[in-house]
Amino acid sequence: MNYIVFGKLILAETLKKMTDLNNDDISELITQIPIQKYKKGTVLLKQGDKPGMSYYLIKGCVRQYVSNENGKETTVDFYIDEQAINIVSYANEDGDSMYSLACLEDCIMVSCPEVMTRDLDNTQPEFREMLKIFFQKQFIDLQKNYASFKAQLPEERFQALVKNRPELLKRVPQTILSSYLDITPETFSRYKKTLM
């Protein structure tokens, strides 16, 4: 099965679960949504650039990170299968992205021009509803994860990762996970040996 057919099937199932659209409306909407494939290593957005697209990640893993003046990268979050990536919320007051996004795996995504997500009043009602649901879910997930993450000790963050997002342990390199947890790779290895 090619990636477009696969992507449309997953997207249709997601829409059935998350919306009140009937099968005919979903089928009609799916025909209008562009599905694209991105190779592992593709940088979707660079910190400092103007965000131009938002995405719905059908399959794959995307890393969100920041780089300081010395080029040190710090991982902020990960997006995996069936998650929205609303880039509009990543821009600072000048409209520049505060983050970079890179594919850690080959990814299948819906790419949505930022202008469509900003001007929802002029988009098709079904598409507007889909975007609203996807981005609301993203916002709720971000808020929930951020609040609990910041309040935890490093060991607790590691245990929460193992419990709540175990798929990342198989899909993301250990050095990147260390950055995400704000611990050294050596500490990550020690936790992995003693806590798993």
Side-chain angles (χ1 to χ4, degrees):
M1 173 180 324
N2 75 29
Y3 76 91
I4 294 174
V5 172
F6 173 79
K8 289 184 186 276
L9 286 172
I10 297 296
L11 195 54
E13 288 303 312
T14 302
L15 289 171
K16 285 177 189 174
K17 287 186 266 180
M18 297 178 80
T19 70
D20 294 330
L21 297 174
N22 64 43
N23 288 340
D24 291 338
D25 288 341
I26 289 173
S27 295
E28 174 64 27
L29 182 58
I30 296 288
T31 63
Q32 301 171 38
I33 296 175
I35 295 178
Q36 297 176 313
K37 188 174 189 177
Y38 296 90
K39 293 276 186 208
K40 176 181 178 178
T42 300
V43 176
L44 301 168
L45 178 65
K46 290 182 184 173
Q47 184 176 338
D49 287 353
K50 302 278 186 214
M53 300 288 262
S54 285
Y55 301 93
Y56 181 74
L57 180 58
I58 295 169
K59 181 155 181 54
C61 182
V62 172
R63 174 184 176 222
Q64 177 188 359
Y65 61 98
V66 294
S67 301
N68 68 15
E69 327 55 70
N70 300 325
K72 181 180 183 266
E73 295 178 356
T74 302
T75 302
V76 177
D77 205 353
F78 299 97
Y79 298 94
I80 57 170
D81 309 336
E82 301 183 45
Q83 283 190 299
I85 306 172
N86 178 7
I87 292 181
V88 175
S89 62
Y90 294 173
N92 63 19
E93 58 277 352
D94 296 326
D96 300 328
S97 177
M98 298 179 289
Y99 306 102
S100 295
L101 294 170
C103 298
L104 293 179
E105 300 174 345
D106 288 347
C107 294
I108 300 171
M109 293 190 239
V110 173
S111 302
C112 182
E114 187 265 335
V115 70
M116 281 182 93
T117 60
R118 197 171 4 108
D119 190 17
L120 288 179
D121 289 338
N122 293 325
T123 59
Q124 184 178 357
E126 294 85 2
F127 191 66
R128 180 175 53 238
E129 183 64 20
M130 179 188 77
L131 289 175
K132 182 177 152 193
I133 289 167
F134 288 165
F135 295 147
Q136 281 175 340
K137 184 178 180 324
Q138 179 196 20
F139 182 74
I140 290 166
D141 289 346
L142 284 172
Q143 289 294 92
K144 189 169 47 175
N145 292 337
Y146 183 75
S148 65
F149 187 80
K150 285 299 179 187
Q152 295 173 329
L153 297 171
E155 187 174 311
E156 293 170 327
R157 289 194 297 265
F158 179 85
Q159 290 172 326
L161 175 76
V162 170
K163 180 183 175 193
N164 301 325
R165 300 184 83 184
E167 68 281 354
L168 294 178
L169 295 167
K170 297 175 188 148
R171 298 171 78 170
V172 177
Q174 185 170 309
T175 54
I176 295 174
L177 285 174
S178 300
S179 166
Y180 173 63
L181 295 173
D182 197 23
I183 58 176
T184 65
E186 295 77 20
T187 300
F188 186 94
S189 291
R190 189 174 70 249
Y191 287 164
K192 198 171 176 184
K193 288 177 188 167
T194 60
L195 300 174
M196 287 182 70

